[in-house]
mmCIF file of all heavy atoms in Angstrom:
data_model
loop_
_atom_site.group_PDB
_atom_site.id
_atom_site.type_symbol
_atom_site.label_atom_id
_atom_site.label_comp_id
_atom_site.label_asym_id
_atom_site.label_seq_id
_atom_site.Cartn_x
_atom_site.Cartn_y
_atom_site.Cartn_z
ATOM 1 N N ILE A 1 -31.895 0.005 -1.182
ATOM 2 C CA ILE A 1 -31.188 -0.055 0.105
ATOM 3 C C ILE A 1 -31.274 -1.485 0.624
ATOM 4 O O ILE A 1 -32.369 -2.038 0.766
ATOM 5 C CB ILE A 1 -31.809 0.929 1.121
ATOM 6 C CG1 ILE A 1 -31.783 2.353 0.557
ATOM 7 C CG2 ILE A 1 -31.088 0.846 2.458
ATOM 8 C CD1 ILE A 1 -32.553 3.348 1.391
ATOM 9 N N ASN A 2 -30.116 -2.101 0.920
ATOM 10 C CA ASN A 2 -30.131 -3.453 1.466
ATOM 11 C C ASN A 2 -28.944 -3.656 2.402
ATOM 12 O O ASN A 2 -28.121 -2.742 2.613
ATOM 13 C CB ASN A 2 -30.141 -4.498 0.345
ATOM 14 C CG ASN A 2 -28.915 -4.396 -0.549
ATOM 15 O OD1 ASN A 2 -27.910 -3.795 -0.175
ATOM 16 N ND2 ASN A 2 -28.987 -4.984 -1.726
ATOM 17 N N ALA A 3 -28.846 -4.856 2.956
ATOM 18 C CA ALA A 3 -27.755 -5.177 3.895
ATOM 19 C C ALA A 3 -27.495 -6.674 3.857
ATOM 20 O O ALA A 3 -28.396 -7.475 3.586
ATOM 21 C CB ALA A 3 -28.125 -4.730 5.312
ATOM 22 N N LYS A 4 -26.238 -7.051 4.147
ATOM 23 C CA LYS A 4 -25.884 -8.464 4.269
ATOM 24 C C LYS A 4 -24.783 -8.591 5.314
ATOM 25 O O LYS A 4 -24.010 -7.650 5.552
ATOM 26 C CB LYS A 4 -25.423 -9.046 2.928
ATOM 27 C CG LYS A 4 -24.187 -8.372 2.332
ATOM 28 C CD LYS A 4 -23.839 -9.022 1.004
ATOM 29 C CE LYS A 4 -22.594 -8.354 0.404
ATOM 30 N NZ LYS A 4 -22.210 -8.966 -0.892
ATOM 31 N N ARG A 5 -24.730 -9.754 5.941
ATOM 32 C CA ARG A 5 -23.758 -9.969 7.021
ATOM 33 C C ARG A 5 -22.496 -10.598 6.440
ATOM 34 O O ARG A 5 -22.549 -11.602 5.733
ATOM 35 C CB ARG A 5 -24.346 -10.875 8.099
ATOM 36 C CG ARG A 5 -23.544 -10.867 9.391
ATOM 37 C CD ARG A 5 -24.256 -11.678 10.461
ATOM 38 N NE ARG A 5 -23.571 -11.575 11.744
ATOM 39 C CZ ARG A 5 -22.486 -12.266 12.069
ATOM 40 N NH1 ARG A 5 -21.962 -13.121 11.203
ATOM 41 N NH2 ARG A 5 -21.924 -12.112 13.259
ATOM 42 N N GLU A 6 -21.331 -9.972 6.734
ATOM 43 C CA GLU A 6 -20.046 -10.463 6.248
ATOM 44 C C GLU A 6 -19.006 -10.310 7.360
ATOM 45 O O GLU A 6 -18.779 -9.198 7.849
ATOM 46 C CB GLU A 6 -19.578 -9.676 5.017
ATOM 47 C CG GLU A 6 -20.437 -9.843 3.785
ATOM 48 C CD GLU A 6 -19.892 -9.057 2.600
ATOM 49 O OE1 GLU A 6 -18.868 -8.363 2.783
ATOM 50 O OE2 GLU A 6 -20.485 -9.116 1.513
ATOM 51 N N ASN A 7 -18.369 -11.420 7.736
ATOM 52 C CA ASN A 7 -17.247 -11.387 8.682
ATOM 53 C C ASN A 7 -17.572 -10.605 9.960
ATOM 54 O O ASN A 7 -16.859 -9.647 10.322
ATOM 55 C CB ASN A 7 -15.998 -10.793 8.007
ATOM 56 C CG ASN A 7 -15.584 -11.585 6.778
ATOM 57 O OD1 ASN A 7 -15.706 -12.822 6.745
ATOM 58 N ND2 ASN A 7 -15.117 -10.888 5.746
ATOM 59 N N GLU A 8 -18.664 -11.010 10.617
ATOM 60 C CA GLU A 8 -19.073 -10.428 11.908
ATOM 61 C C GLU A 8 -19.362 -8.924 11.809
ATOM 62 O O GLU A 8 -19.150 -8.176 12.760
ATOM 63 C CB GLU A 8 -18.000 -10.677 12.978
ATOM 64 C CG GLU A 8 -17.791 -12.150 13.245
ATOM 65 C CD GLU A 8 -16.800 -12.410 14.368
ATOM 66 O OE1 GLU A 8 -16.145 -11.414 14.814
ATOM 67 O OE2 GLU A 8 -16.687 -13.558 14.809
ATOM 68 N N GLN A 9 -19.827 -8.532 10.653
ATOM 69 C CA GLN A 9 -20.270 -7.143 10.505
ATOM 70 C C GLN A 9 -21.388 -7.082 9.473
ATOM 71 O O GLN A 9 -21.519 -7.969 8.625
ATOM 72 C CB GLN A 9 -19.107 -6.239 10.091
ATOM 73 C CG GLN A 9 -18.516 -6.557 8.729
ATOM 74 C CD GLN A 9 -17.351 -5.645 8.406
ATOM 75 O OE1 GLN A 9 -16.986 -4.763 9.187
ATOM 76 N NE2 GLN A 9 -16.745 -5.826 7.247
ATOM 77 N N TRP A 10 -22.187 -6.023 9.583
ATOM 78 C CA TRP A 10 -23.245 -5.792 8.603
ATOM 79 C C TRP A 10 -22.748 -4.782 7.584
ATOM 80 O O TRP A 10 -22.227 -3.731 7.930
ATOM 81 C CB TRP A 10 -24.501 -5.245 9.291
ATOM 82 C CG TRP A 10 -25.247 -6.296 10.076
ATOM 83 C CD1 TRP A 10 -25.222 -6.480 11.412
ATOM 84 C CD2 TRP A 10 -26.099 -7.296 9.526
ATOM 85 N NE1 TRP A 10 -26.023 -7.537 11.779
ATOM 86 C CE2 TRP A 10 -26.582 -8.068 10.620
ATOM 87 C CE3 TRP A 10 -26.518 -7.642 8.250
ATOM 88 C CZ2 TRP A 10 -27.446 -9.134 10.467
ATOM 89 C CZ3 TRP A 10 -27.377 -8.712 8.083
ATOM 90 C CH2 TRP A 10 -27.845 -9.445 9.182
ATOM 91 N N VAL A 11 -22.904 -5.145 6.313
ATOM 92 C CA VAL A 11 -22.525 -4.253 5.225
ATOM 93 C C VAL A 11 -23.802 -3.753 4.562
ATOM 94 O O VAL A 11 -24.565 -4.530 3.990
ATOM 95 C CB VAL A 11 -21.623 -4.958 4.189
ATOM 96 C CG1 VAL A 11 -21.308 -3.994 3.030
ATOM 97 C CG2 VAL A 11 -20.335 -5.444 4.849
ATOM 98 N N PHE A 12 -24.005 -2.442 4.642
ATOM 99 C CA PHE A 12 -25.188 -1.810 4.057
ATOM 100 C C PHE A 12 -24.796 -1.163 2.732
ATOM 101 O O PHE A 12 -23.657 -0.724 2.545
ATOM 102 C CB PHE A 12 -25.754 -0.738 4.992
ATOM 103 C CG PHE A 12 -26.226 -1.277 6.298
ATOM 104 C CD1 PHE A 12 -25.333 -1.490 7.343
ATOM 105 C CD2 PHE A 12 -27.560 -1.573 6.505
ATOM 106 C CE1 PHE A 12 -25.752 -1.992 8.563
ATOM 107 C CE2 PHE A 12 -27.998 -2.066 7.719
ATOM 108 C CZ PHE A 12 -27.096 -2.297 8.751
ATOM 109 N N SER A 13 -25.749 -1.080 1.811
ATOM 110 C CA SER A 13 -25.476 -0.431 0.528
ATOM 111 C C SER A 13 -26.674 0.433 0.125
ATOM 112 O O SER A 13 -27.820 0.113 0.408
ATOM 113 C CB SER A 13 -25.186 -1.466 -0.570
ATOM 114 O OG SER A 13 -26.354 -2.237 -0.828
ATOM 115 N N VAL A 14 -26.346 1.549 -0.523
ATOM 116 C CA VAL A 14 -27.348 2.456 -1.102
ATOM 117 C C VAL A 14 -26.943 2.672 -2.551
ATOM 118 O O VAL A 14 -25.950 3.345 -2.838
ATOM 119 C CB VAL A 14 -27.397 3.798 -0.343
ATOM 120 C CG1 VAL A 14 -28.416 4.742 -1.001
ATOM 121 C CG2 VAL A 14 -27.716 3.600 1.122
ATOM 122 N N SER A 15 -27.683 2.073 -3.485
ATOM 123 C CA SER A 15 -27.346 2.165 -4.904
ATOM 124 C C SER A 15 -28.375 2.995 -5.639
ATOM 125 O O SER A 15 -29.529 3.096 -5.227
ATOM 126 C CB SER A 15 -27.250 0.765 -5.524
ATOM 127 O OG SER A 15 -28.481 0.067 -5.358
ATOM 128 N N ASP A 16 -27.934 3.623 -6.748
ATOM 129 C CA ASP A 16 -28.834 4.478 -7.536
ATOM 130 C C ASP A 16 -28.518 4.337 -9.010
ATOM 131 O O ASP A 16 -27.543 3.689 -9.403
ATOM 132 C CB ASP A 16 -28.693 5.942 -7.097
ATOM 133 C CG ASP A 16 -27.291 6.499 -7.322
ATOM 134 O OD1 ASP A 16 -26.873 6.575 -8.481
ATOM 135 O OD2 ASP A 16 -26.618 6.847 -6.327
ATOM 136 N N ASN A 17 -29.357 4.944 -9.850
ATOM 137 C CA ASN A 17 -29.165 4.934 -11.310
ATOM 138 C C ASN A 17 -28.831 6.340 -11.810
ATOM 139 O O ASN A 17 -29.263 6.747 -12.889
ATOM 140 C CB ASN A 17 -30.424 4.414 -12.007
ATOM 141 C CG ASN A 17 -31.641 5.303 -11.724
ATOM 142 O OD1 ASN A 17 -31.641 6.078 -10.770
ATOM 143 N ND2 ASN A 17 -32.687 5.194 -12.545
ATOM 144 N N GLY A 18 -28.040 7.075 -11.009
ATOM 145 C CA GLY A 18 -27.729 8.464 -11.331
ATOM 146 C C GLY A 18 -26.590 8.632 -12.312
ATOM 147 O O GLY A 18 -26.293 7.731 -13.112
ATOM 148 N N ILE A 19 -25.908 9.776 -12.210
ATOM 149 C CA ILE A 19 -24.887 10.129 -13.201
ATOM 150 C C ILE A 19 -23.566 9.402 -12.965
ATOM 151 O O ILE A 19 -22.690 9.401 -13.828
ATOM 152 C CB ILE A 19 -24.634 11.644 -13.200
ATOM 153 C CG1 ILE A 19 -24.133 12.107 -11.823
ATOM 154 C CG2 ILE A 19 -25.899 12.396 -13.582
ATOM 155 C CD1 ILE A 19 -23.743 13.571 -11.773
ATOM 156 N N GLY A 20 -23.400 8.771 -11.797
ATOM 157 C CA GLY A 20 -22.182 8.031 -11.529
ATOM 158 C C GLY A 20 -21.005 8.911 -11.147
ATOM 159 O O GLY A 20 -21.089 10.138 -11.179
ATOM 160 N N ILE A 21 -19.864 8.240 -10.799
ATOM 161 C CA ILE A 21 -18.666 8.953 -10.360
ATOM 162 C C ILE A 21 -17.450 8.331 -11.048
ATOM 163 O O ILE A 21 -17.319 7.109 -11.137
ATOM 164 C CB ILE A 21 -18.494 8.838 -8.828
ATOM 165 C CG1 ILE A 21 -19.733 9.374 -8.111
ATOM 166 C CG2 ILE A 21 -17.250 9.592 -8.355
ATOM 167 C CD1 ILE A 21 -19.732 9.112 -6.615
ATOM 168 N N ASP A 22 -16.575 9.183 -11.530
ATOM 169 C CA ASP A 22 -15.327 8.706 -12.113
ATOM 170 C C ASP A 22 -14.490 8.039 -11.012
ATOM 171 O O ASP A 22 -14.312 8.618 -9.924
ATOM 172 C CB ASP A 22 -14.564 9.882 -12.714
ATOM 173 C CG ASP A 22 -13.402 9.437 -13.592
ATOM 174 O OD1 ASP A 22 -12.655 8.531 -13.172
ATOM 175 O OD2 ASP A 22 -13.239 10.014 -14.671
ATOM 176 N N PRO A 23 -13.977 6.812 -11.231
ATOM 177 C CA PRO A 23 -13.213 6.101 -10.191
ATOM 178 C C PRO A 23 -12.046 6.890 -9.610
ATOM 179 O O PRO A 23 -11.655 6.665 -8.455
ATOM 180 C CB PRO A 23 -12.717 4.845 -10.929
ATOM 181 C CG PRO A 23 -13.743 4.615 -11.994
ATOM 182 C CD PRO A 23 -14.176 5.985 -12.437
ATOM 183 N N LYS A 24 -11.507 7.855 -10.348
ATOM 184 C CA LYS A 24 -10.362 8.585 -9.815
ATOM 185 C C LYS A 24 -10.741 9.500 -8.652
ATOM 186 O O LYS A 24 -9.871 9.999 -7.932
ATOM 187 C CB LYS A 24 -9.702 9.423 -10.929
ATOM 188 C CG LYS A 24 -10.559 10.556 -11.463
ATOM 189 C CD LYS A 24 -9.835 11.288 -12.583
ATOM 190 C CE LYS A 24 -10.673 12.432 -13.153
ATOM 191 N NZ LYS A 24 -9.988 13.138 -14.248
ATOM 192 N N TYR A 25 -12.031 9.684 -8.432
ATOM 193 C CA TYR A 25 -12.487 10.540 -7.321
ATOM 194 C C TYR A 25 -12.985 9.743 -6.115
ATOM 195 O O TYR A 25 -13.525 10.316 -5.181
ATOM 196 C CB TYR A 25 -13.619 11.467 -7.797
ATOM 197 C CG TYR A 25 -13.213 12.428 -8.881
ATOM 198 C CD1 TYR A 25 -13.793 12.359 -10.144
ATOM 199 C CD2 TYR A 25 -12.258 13.413 -8.638
ATOM 200 C CE1 TYR A 25 -13.431 13.247 -11.146
ATOM 201 C CE2 TYR A 25 -11.882 14.312 -9.638
ATOM 202 C CZ TYR A 25 -12.471 14.216 -10.885
ATOM 203 O OH TYR A 25 -12.109 15.087 -11.879
ATOM 204 N N PHE A 26 -12.830 8.414 -6.140
ATOM 205 C CA PHE A 26 -13.388 7.574 -5.075
ATOM 206 C C PHE A 26 -12.866 7.966 -3.691
ATOM 207 O O PHE A 26 -13.579 7.883 -2.699
ATOM 208 C CB PHE A 26 -13.071 6.096 -5.334
ATOM 209 C CG PHE A 26 -13.962 5.478 -6.386
ATOM 210 C CD1 PHE A 26 -13.783 4.166 -6.777
ATOM 211 C CD2 PHE A 26 -14.971 6.214 -6.989
ATOM 212 C CE1 PHE A 26 -14.608 3.592 -7.741
ATOM 213 C CE2 PHE A 26 -15.782 5.662 -7.953
ATOM 214 C CZ PHE A 26 -15.602 4.345 -8.340
ATOM 215 N N GLU A 27 -11.642 8.373 -3.583
ATOM 216 C CA GLU A 27 -11.062 8.715 -2.281
ATOM 217 C C GLU A 27 -11.348 10.163 -1.899
ATOM 218 O O GLU A 27 -11.645 10.479 -0.752
ATOM 219 C CB GLU A 27 -9.551 8.456 -2.291
ATOM 220 C CG GLU A 27 -9.159 6.996 -2.460
ATOM 221 C CD GLU A 27 -9.664 6.134 -1.305
ATOM 222 O OE1 GLU A 27 -9.707 6.658 -0.168
ATOM 223 O OE2 GLU A 27 -10.002 4.960 -1.532
ATOM 224 N N THR A 28 -11.249 11.036 -2.863
ATOM 225 C CA THR A 28 -11.357 12.463 -2.553
ATOM 226 C C THR A 28 -12.775 12.890 -2.173
ATOM 227 O O THR A 28 -12.953 13.879 -1.454
ATOM 228 C CB THR A 28 -10.891 13.316 -3.748
ATOM 229 O OG1 THR A 28 -11.672 12.997 -4.879
ATOM 230 C CG2 THR A 28 -9.434 13.057 -4.036
ATOM 231 N N ILE A 29 -13.801 12.159 -2.635
ATOM 232 C CA ILE A 29 -15.171 12.616 -2.353
ATOM 233 C C ILE A 29 -15.516 12.537 -0.876
ATOM 234 O O ILE A 29 -16.458 13.194 -0.425
ATOM 235 C CB ILE A 29 -16.207 11.801 -3.163
ATOM 236 C CG1 ILE A 29 -16.118 10.310 -2.819
ATOM 237 C CG2 ILE A 29 -16.051 12.048 -4.652
ATOM 238 C CD1 ILE A 29 -17.207 9.491 -3.476
ATOM 239 N N PHE A 30 -14.757 11.746 -0.100
ATOM 240 C CA PHE A 30 -15.042 11.638 1.341
ATOM 241 C C PHE A 30 -14.250 12.649 2.161
ATOM 242 O O PHE A 30 -14.293 12.624 3.385
ATOM 243 C CB PHE A 30 -14.736 10.218 1.842
ATOM 244 C CG PHE A 30 -15.641 9.168 1.238
ATOM 245 C CD1 PHE A 30 -15.186 8.329 0.236
ATOM 246 C CD2 PHE A 30 -16.951 9.051 1.663
ATOM 247 C CE1 PHE A 30 -16.011 7.363 -0.324
ATOM 248 C CE2 PHE A 30 -17.787 8.088 1.120
ATOM 249 C CZ PHE A 30 -17.324 7.248 0.118
ATOM 250 N N GLN A 31 -13.497 13.524 1.493
ATOM 251 C CA GLN A 31 -12.758 14.554 2.190
ATOM 252 C C GLN A 31 -13.588 15.838 2.245
ATOM 253 O O GLN A 31 -14.458 16.082 1.405
ATOM 254 C CB GLN A 31 -11.428 14.825 1.478
ATOM 255 C CG GLN A 31 -10.501 13.610 1.422
ATOM 256 C CD GLN A 31 -9.271 13.882 0.596
ATOM 257 O OE1 GLN A 31 -8.980 15.027 0.228
ATOM 258 N NE2 GLN A 31 -8.512 12.824 0.290
ATOM 259 N N MET A 32 -13.286 16.660 3.243
ATOM 260 C CA MET A 32 -14.037 17.906 3.423
ATOM 261 C C MET A 32 -13.770 18.863 2.276
ATOM 262 O O MET A 32 -12.648 18.963 1.765
ATOM 263 C CB MET A 32 -13.665 18.579 4.752
ATOM 264 C CG MET A 32 -14.152 17.818 5.980
ATOM 265 S SD MET A 32 -13.695 18.663 7.511
ATOM 266 C CE MET A 32 -14.587 20.207 7.325
ATOM 267 N N PHE A 33 -14.831 19.571 1.861
ATOM 268 C CA PHE A 33 -14.794 20.635 0.858
ATOM 269 C C PHE A 33 -14.416 20.133 -0.535
ATOM 270 O O PHE A 33 -14.014 20.923 -1.390
ATOM 271 C CB PHE A 33 -13.845 21.769 1.266
ATOM 272 C CG PHE A 33 -14.079 22.299 2.646
ATOM 273 C CD1 PHE A 33 -13.126 22.150 3.631
ATOM 274 C CD2 PHE A 33 -15.282 22.930 2.958
ATOM 275 C CE1 PHE A 33 -13.347 22.641 4.902
ATOM 276 C CE2 PHE A 33 -15.502 23.437 4.227
ATOM 277 C CZ PHE A 33 -14.535 23.286 5.212
ATOM 278 N N GLN A 34 -14.555 18.817 -0.753
ATOM 279 C CA GLN A 34 -14.246 18.285 -2.074
ATOM 280 C C GLN A 34 -15.513 18.273 -2.914
ATOM 281 O O GLN A 34 -16.460 17.562 -2.629
ATOM 282 C CB GLN A 34 -13.665 16.869 -1.971
ATOM 283 C CG GLN A 34 -12.332 16.810 -1.264
ATOM 284 C CD GLN A 34 -11.289 17.668 -1.955
ATOM 285 O OE1 GLN A 34 -11.125 17.606 -3.183
ATOM 286 N NE2 GLN A 34 -10.574 18.470 -1.183
ATOM 287 N N ARG A 35 -15.548 19.082 -3.963
ATOM 288 C CA ARG A 35 -16.685 19.185 -4.862
ATOM 289 C C ARG A 35 -16.259 18.767 -6.256
ATOM 290 O O ARG A 35 -15.222 19.197 -6.758
ATOM 291 C CB ARG A 35 -17.228 20.621 -4.912
ATOM 292 C CG ARG A 35 -17.740 21.160 -3.587
ATOM 293 C CD ARG A 35 -18.133 22.632 -3.718
ATOM 294 N NE ARG A 35 -19.063 22.837 -4.800
ATOM 295 C CZ ARG A 35 -20.398 22.784 -4.656
ATOM 296 N NH1 ARG A 35 -20.913 22.537 -3.469
ATOM 297 N NH2 ARG A 35 -21.195 22.973 -5.682
ATOM 298 N N LEU A 36 -17.085 17.910 -6.890
ATOM 299 C CA LEU A 36 -16.793 17.484 -8.258
ATOM 300 C C LEU A 36 -17.469 18.373 -9.286
ATOM 301 O O LEU A 36 -17.188 18.267 -10.480
ATOM 302 C CB LEU A 36 -17.262 16.030 -8.463
ATOM 303 C CG LEU A 36 -16.680 15.001 -7.493
ATOM 304 C CD1 LEU A 36 -17.123 13.596 -7.883
ATOM 305 C CD2 LEU A 36 -15.170 15.090 -7.454
ATOM 306 N N PHE A 37 -18.376 19.240 -8.794
ATOM 307 C CA PHE A 37 -19.110 20.101 -9.710
ATOM 308 C C PHE A 37 -19.123 21.521 -9.150
ATOM 309 O O PHE A 37 -18.897 21.732 -7.971
ATOM 310 C CB PHE A 37 -20.562 19.608 -9.898
ATOM 311 C CG PHE A 37 -20.662 18.197 -10.352
ATOM 312 C CD1 PHE A 37 -20.798 17.161 -9.420
ATOM 313 C CD2 PHE A 37 -20.619 17.870 -11.698
ATOM 314 C CE1 PHE A 37 -20.901 15.848 -9.826
ATOM 315 C CE2 PHE A 37 -20.722 16.562 -12.113
ATOM 316 C CZ PHE A 37 -20.855 15.540 -11.165
ATOM 317 N N THR A 38 -19.406 22.482 -10.022
ATOM 318 C CA THR A 38 -19.499 23.867 -9.576
ATOM 319 C C THR A 38 -20.794 24.088 -8.816
ATOM 320 O O THR A 38 -21.729 23.291 -8.919
ATOM 321 C CB THR A 38 -19.450 24.831 -10.781
ATOM 322 O OG1 THR A 38 -20.618 24.625 -11.588
ATOM 323 C CG2 THR A 38 -18.210 24.602 -11.604
ATOM 324 N N ARG A 39 -20.848 25.203 -8.045
ATOM 325 C CA ARG A 39 -22.043 25.528 -7.275
ATOM 326 C C ARG A 39 -23.222 25.815 -8.204
ATOM 327 O O ARG A 39 -24.379 25.602 -7.852
ATOM 328 C CB ARG A 39 -21.768 26.734 -6.375
ATOM 329 C CG ARG A 39 -22.894 27.031 -5.419
ATOM 330 C CD ARG A 39 -22.458 27.966 -4.315
ATOM 331 N NE ARG A 39 -21.798 29.162 -4.815
ATOM 332 C CZ ARG A 39 -20.538 29.461 -4.574
ATOM 333 N NH1 ARG A 39 -19.791 28.645 -3.849
ATOM 334 N NH2 ARG A 39 -20.001 30.563 -5.046
ATOM 335 N N GLU A 40 -22.955 26.313 -9.418
ATOM 336 C CA GLU A 40 -24.033 26.582 -10.364
ATOM 337 C C GLU A 40 -24.675 25.284 -10.853
ATOM 338 O O GLU A 40 -25.868 25.260 -11.173
ATOM 339 C CB GLU A 40 -23.518 27.376 -11.560
ATOM 340 C CG GLU A 40 -23.200 28.851 -11.268
ATOM 341 C CD GLU A 40 -21.959 29.004 -10.409
ATOM 342 O OE1 GLU A 40 -21.105 28.061 -10.434
ATOM 343 O OE2 GLU A 40 -21.823 30.030 -9.734
ATOM 344 N N GLU A 41 -23.862 24.192 -10.916
ATOM 345 C CA GLU A 41 -24.403 22.913 -11.381
ATOM 346 C C GLU A 41 -25.172 22.200 -10.280
ATOM 347 O O GLU A 41 -26.281 21.722 -10.484
ATOM 348 C CB GLU A 41 -23.256 22.021 -11.886
ATOM 349 C CG GLU A 41 -22.569 22.569 -13.125
ATOM 350 C CD GLU A 41 -21.359 21.713 -13.504
ATOM 351 O OE1 GLU A 41 -20.425 21.597 -12.684
ATOM 352 O OE2 GLU A 41 -21.370 21.171 -14.612
ATOM 353 N N TYR A 42 -24.573 22.113 -9.077
ATOM 354 C CA TYR A 42 -25.204 21.431 -7.949
ATOM 355 C C TYR A 42 -24.906 22.221 -6.678
ATOM 356 O O TYR A 42 -23.761 22.575 -6.422
ATOM 357 C CB TYR A 42 -24.676 19.994 -7.784
ATOM 358 C CG TYR A 42 -25.038 19.076 -8.928
ATOM 359 C CD1 TYR A 42 -24.149 18.856 -9.975
ATOM 360 C CD2 TYR A 42 -26.274 18.441 -8.956
ATOM 361 C CE1 TYR A 42 -24.480 18.017 -11.029
ATOM 362 C CE2 TYR A 42 -26.615 17.590 -9.996
ATOM 363 C CZ TYR A 42 -25.726 17.387 -11.034
ATOM 364 O OH TYR A 42 -26.045 16.560 -12.066
#
């Protein structure tokens, strides 16, 4: 977890070494009820 100042704003980041996300889901994951996996998996 870190932060840096860019253009009069603070940009924070939370990075991990997990399973990752396919780029085609970058927009949909922030929508309500959007699941990339079944309930049995996660």
